[in-house]
Amino acid sequence: APAFAEKFGLGRTALPEEIAAWDLDISPDGTGLPVGSGNAFDGEELFADYCAICHGDFAEGVDNWPKLAGGMDTLDHEDPLKTVGSYWPFLSTTFDYVRRSMPFGNAQTLTDDEVYAIVAYILYSNDLVDDDFELSNENFLEVEMPNAGGFIVDDRLTSEAHFVREPCMADCKEGTPEVVMRAMVLDVTPEETKARKVQELMDATKPD
Amino acid sequence: MSDSFKAKSPSRRQFLSGAAAVGAGVVAGTTAKAAGPDPLITQVQDWASGTGDGVDATPYGLPIDYESDVVRRNVEWLTADTISSINFTPIHALDGTITPQGCAFERHHSGAIELRKQDYRLMINGLVDNPLVFSYEDLERFPRENRVYFCECAANTGMEWAGSQLNGAQFTHGMIHNMEYSGIPLRTLLEEAGLNAAGDLKDKWVYVEGADASSNGRSIPMEKALDDVLVAFKANGEALRKEHGYPVRLVVPGWEGNMWVKWLRRIEVTDQAVESREETSKYTDTLEDGTARKWTWEMDAKSVVTSPSPQSPIKHGHGPLVITGLAWSGRGAITRVDVSKDGGKTWETARLAAPGEKMAMTRFYLDTTWDGEEMLLQSRAMDDTGYVQPTKAELRDVRGLNSIYHNNCIQTWWIKSDGEAENVEVS
């Protein structure tokens, strides 16, 4: 066992109630899941009340707000749609995140049963369960997430090992490098171009 | 402030004659002979005659009005709202390496919260001998360290994966700041709670989360937690700014900014990664075949020329030109930066303002002469692991176009003959 420095005697022991209030995280193996349940049918109503204004009635997303459903098999496409159904590897994350941080602007207001119901509805909206599906702490780990196997641990040190090298200093390219893409063509930079023009105008006409 | 400025501004007559003389100088180039005596010199100016502000005018000062363009900027279309969003450090206008806190970028997921020191609590729980609660005052009684580190958002330069989009170093590379932090090693706090209960520490993790509604929970392997992670409460000498985590944030040297949890409220020792939203849905990097990398923690070696750049064009005419920029690496210290003026065909080695420090920003300069020729300006960083900053094409060869995060490619600015600069890609 490693040798540890002596203690300073600072802080005080955390009480069980305090730990219970703050330690809400849930791990992929279900550690941390509260006892409870909720079905997709009830979840649809809760979703309509608390979530649909941003995420859409069918979890398909409104405007720029996150889409929670759809996008199956698009991850290798030019513009992948990454949702709970198409991308998220673990259902634990959905429960954990919804319970702790949603609805946006009014987080930590849902009961555990409500969260189970909403998560069941999100699964339903991704065509992963039927509309009468009831999710509980008992059957939670039985749900199969389509992209559970879709992640690899950072492999840059091997797959990008060729970036450790002796850099080229002269004649590094054949021919003369040419401009092939320009930000000015897109012209989506906000304020800045305008801001600089305004600043130049001010500089030129600032008697007072 | 504007009243006091007005009282001391030159008279209109002085201004007009002065402006004309300065204008002529710009057109003729900096070494031209004076067209006549400069009234800013030959006439007594108000500031050389009257008085300035008293020492009680500004208990806590802001930059002078003339620097009002050196500010954080937002890009509205990037995110759905401004609460879970990003803004950008004006790196095009800064020099040296320390980022002024007042214009250092922000990234929040549920806004910048206000958390008083009196209301602050930090909990350590999980696989520890004794779960603890600390007050802010408790934290100030542990032995402290001071360290300078960069904090770079994993998404910095992310909008540029598919092509040249945003026209300015602030927007392409400004999700970064570099500060001197004062705080406590995370190791000290973990040892205070006791790690014997955790057993073999090799396969253990710490889960850290903030006090805000988003919580921003992330899993950190124990090895890193016991190495150099700081629980910080001061930055650049003063308390953290509200938007940077007041009163306490995590500092995770070299690792992606998302893990620098702000308003830190809880540290849990666990025997597995939590695989939270911020390390599954977000901060995972999709590759061309549709699989995604997770736990891409380190920020690789990177650099950018900050001037000249689109927001900082050459205005002084031909002759001496300072090309300058920033370089940094999450895997160690910057050892060298090369600069190319011809789109990467030839390179010359720039001068580092100071030797590179581990996981901190390094300033580089290339003092050169410019006679109006067009340039395709690039910089290329190297760190002490031997890693050489790659081109965007080289990164795309490995990763495709959809990684979103960790774009550390070489940036090109097209400097035109009139001194204007544009964000471009080159063949």
Side-chain angles (χ1 to χ4, degrees):
Chain A
F4 291 120
E6 74 174 292
K7 295 188 194 310
F8 295 88
L10 294 169
R12 58 152 177 97
T13 299
L15 301 176
E17 301 91 316
E18 294 171 331
I19 295 172
W22 275 11
D23 184 352
L24 297 173
D25 57 81
I26 301 161
S27 297
D29 68 0
T31 301
L33 266 183
V35 173
S37 65
N39 62 48
F41 190 76
D42 294 338
E44 180 174 22
E45 199 169 323
L46 290 161
F47 199 88
D49 289 346
Y50 298 127
C51 320
I53 189 168
C54 295
H55 295 296
D57 287 334
F58 307 101
E60 79 282 17
V62 174
D63 298 335
N64 246 350
W65 296 99
K67 298 165 174 55
L68 308 183
M72 294 296 177
D73 304 316
T74 64
L75 297 180
D76 59 353
H77 292 195
E78 193 176 324
D79 208 0
L81 174 53
K82 302 198 277 188
T83 70
V84 172
S86 70
Y87 191 64
W88 292 34
F90 306 109
L91 191 60
S92 55
T93 313
T94 310
F95 191 101
D96 174 84
Y97 185 69
V98 170
R99 178 168 69 160
R100 199 152 24 140
S101 298
M102 288 287 135
F104 188 65
N106 200 24
Q108 302 196 73
T109 56
L110 298 168
T111 67
D112 291 342
D113 286 344
E114 287 173 333
V115 177
Y116 275 110
I118 287 170
V119 173
Y121 178 69
I122 293 172
L123 289 172
Y124 169 70
S125 66
N126 276 288
D127 299 322
L128 296 174
V129 298
D130 294 327
D131 60 356
D132 61 352
F133 176 74
E134 180 167 279
L135 182 69
S136 73
N137 56 302
E138 302 281 333
N139 67 357
F140 197 88
L141 294 180
E142 291 165 22
V143 179
E144 285 182 37
M145 300 297 279
N147 197 42
F151 294 79
I152 59 168
V153 174
D154 183 7
D155 65 344
R156 280 176 291 171
L157 287 181
T158 51
S159 64
E160 298 177 7
H162 55 293
F163 297 150
V164 176
R165 56 188 163 177
E166 195 54 44
C168 175
M169 295 302 286
D171 293 323
C172 303
K173 289 182 175 181
E174 282 182 30
T176 306
E178 284 176 16
V179 171
V180 294
M181 197 174 283
R182 303 179 54 183
M184 290 297 270
V185 173
L186 268 173
D187 197 24
V188 290
T189 310
E191 299 178 64
E192 181 46 35
T193 312
K194 207 165 48 181
R196 186 151 66 78
K197 294 282 180 231
V198 169
Q199 193 67 40
E200 282 168 4
L201 267 174
M202 282 167 59
D203 289 347
T205 60
K206 203 171 24 181
D208 296 310
Chain B
M1 253 187 101
S2 56
D3 283 352
S4 108
F5 166 66
K6 263 181 197 157
K8 288 170 192 63
S9 61
S11 71
R12 181 160 179 84
R13 184 179 55 80
Q14 282 176 318
F15 174 84
L16 290 174
S17 51
V22 171
V26 170
V27 172
T30 49
T31 54
K33 213 190 274 183
D38 183 349
L40 281 166
I41 298 171
T42 57
Q43 296 177 13
V44 175
Q45 302 299 314
D46 287 352
W47 58 78
S49 177
T51 59
D53 294 337
V55 295
D56 58 348
T58 315
Y60 197 109
L62 287 171
I64 196 165
D65 285 348
Y66 313 118
E67 296 296 313
S68 61
D69 58 323
V70 186
V71 290
R72 296 187 277 232
R73 292 190 194 283
N74 174 37
V75 178
E76 280 165 27
W77 56 263
L78 277 181
T79 49
D81 67 298
T82 59
I83 304 296
S84 179
S85 193
I86 187 84
N87 63 26
F88 300 85
T89 303
I91 56 170
H92 64 287
L94 302 177
D95 210 325
T97 57
I98 295 295
T99 313
Q101 292 199 82
C103 65
F105 88 103
E106 304 167 66
R107 203 294 185 232
H108 317 301
H109 293 79
S110 52
I113 60 165
E114 190 169 296
L115 178 55
R116 302 187 310 164
K117 286 177 182 171
Q118 300 95 301
D119 299 332
Y120 180 77
R121 299 289 184 274
L122 176 62
M123 181 184 290
I124 299 191
N125 75 308
L127 302 173
V128 293
D129 302 340
N130 183 22
L132 292 174
V133 171
F134 298 110
S135 66
Y136 180 82
E137 290 70 25
D138 291 333
L139 296 183
E140 284 195 323
R141 298 171 66 189
F142 286 100
R144 255 169 259 170
E145 290 183 358
N146 290 279
R147 297 276 188 271
V148 176
Y149 295 121
F150 73 82
C151 173
E152 183 185 17
C153 179
N156 200 20
T157 322
M159 299 83 75
E160 303 288 312
W161 268 115
S164 307
Q165 283 216 57
L166 291 165
N167 212 29
Q170 177 170 22
F171 301 106
T172 57
H173 290 76
M175 296 183 192
I176 192 165
H177 55 60
N178 191 67
M179 301 189 192
E180 183 197 42
Y181 293 97
S182 307
I184 314 158
L186 175 54
R187 180 185 190 103
T188 304
L189 296 183
L190 290 169
E191 288 176 350
E192 187 70 13
L195 287 171
N196 290 321
D200 187 354
L201 294 177
K202 254 195 223 126
D203 58 351
K204 297 302 182 295
W205 296 74
V206 296
Y207 182 71
V208 287
E209 66 177 5
D212 62 315
S214 83
S215 101
N216 198 48
R218 287 291 308 251
S219 305
I220 299 175
M222 182 62 83
E223 186 184 4
K224 178 71 172 177
L226 294 177
D227 181 14
D228 56 4
V229 177
L230 290 179
V231 174
F233 37 79
K234 295 280 169 71
N236 294 350
E238 62 181 354
L240 296 169
R241 294 293 167 94
K242 175 178 87 170
E243 61 271 29
H244 296 141
Y246 181 92
V248 177
R249 82 171 307 163
L250 209 62
V251 168
V252 191
W255 288 23
E256 60 188 12
N258 177 257
M259 307 177 81
W260 294 48
V261 172
K262 297 185 285 190
W263 314 291
L264 180 71
R265 86 167 188 187
R266 197 170 65 88
I267 299 159
E268 180 185 0
V269 177
T270 62
D271 56 13
Q272 59 185 316
V274 168
E275 304 264 13
S276 69
R277 187 252 196 183
E278 305 293 329
E279 54 200 0
T280 54
S281 169
K282 307 298 176 188
Y283 307 100
T284 51
D285 314 351
T286 302
L287 302 170
E288 198 155 27
D289 67 359
T291 62
R293 289 173 178 160
K294 66 175 182 179
W295 302 342
T296 46
W297 299 311
E298 292 93 347
M299 301 304 292
D300 278 313
K302 185 168 173 178
S303 68
V304 65
V305 171
T306 53
S307 182
S309 66
Q311 297 157 284
S312 181
I314 303 171
K315 287 176 160 174
H316 54 53
H318 302 171
L321 169 69
V322 174
I323 296 171
T324 186
L326 291 164
W328 60 95
S329 171
R331 299 191 194 267
I334 292 295
T335 53
R336 188 173 125 189
V337 180
D338 295 332
V339 171
S340 174
K341 297 170 185 167
D342 57 8
K345 196 171 171 73
T346 58
W347 296 84
E348 40 194 320
T349 299
R351 170 170 64 87
L352 303 186
E357 297 277 350
K358 281 192 179 305
M359 285 85 95
M361 274 191 178
T362 300
R363 169 67 56 178
F364 66 86
Y365 296 104
L366 186 73
D367 306 298
T368 190
T369 301
W370 181 67
D371 289 317
E373 67 276 15
E374 290 199 359
M375 295 188 285
L376 293 170
L377 209 51
Q378 300 183 336
S379 63
R380 182 179 66 187
M382 279 157 269
D383 69 19
D384 58 10
T385 70
Y387 180 97
V388 180
Q389 183 183 1
T391 65
K392 199 187 286 185
E394 288 173 323
L395 283 177
R396 285 174 180 154
D397 282 347
V398 181
R399 307 184 195 173
L401 288 171
N402 292 321
S403 281
I404 300 177
Y405 307 106
H406 292 281
N407 185 350
N408 65 320
C409 72
I410 289 172
Q411 172 69 44
T412 308
W413 304 129
W414 178 16
I415 311 295
K416 324 271 175 75
S417 55
D418 62 0
E420 293 286 327
E422 184 179 338
N423 175 12
V424 297
E425 283 187 20
V426 291
S427 59

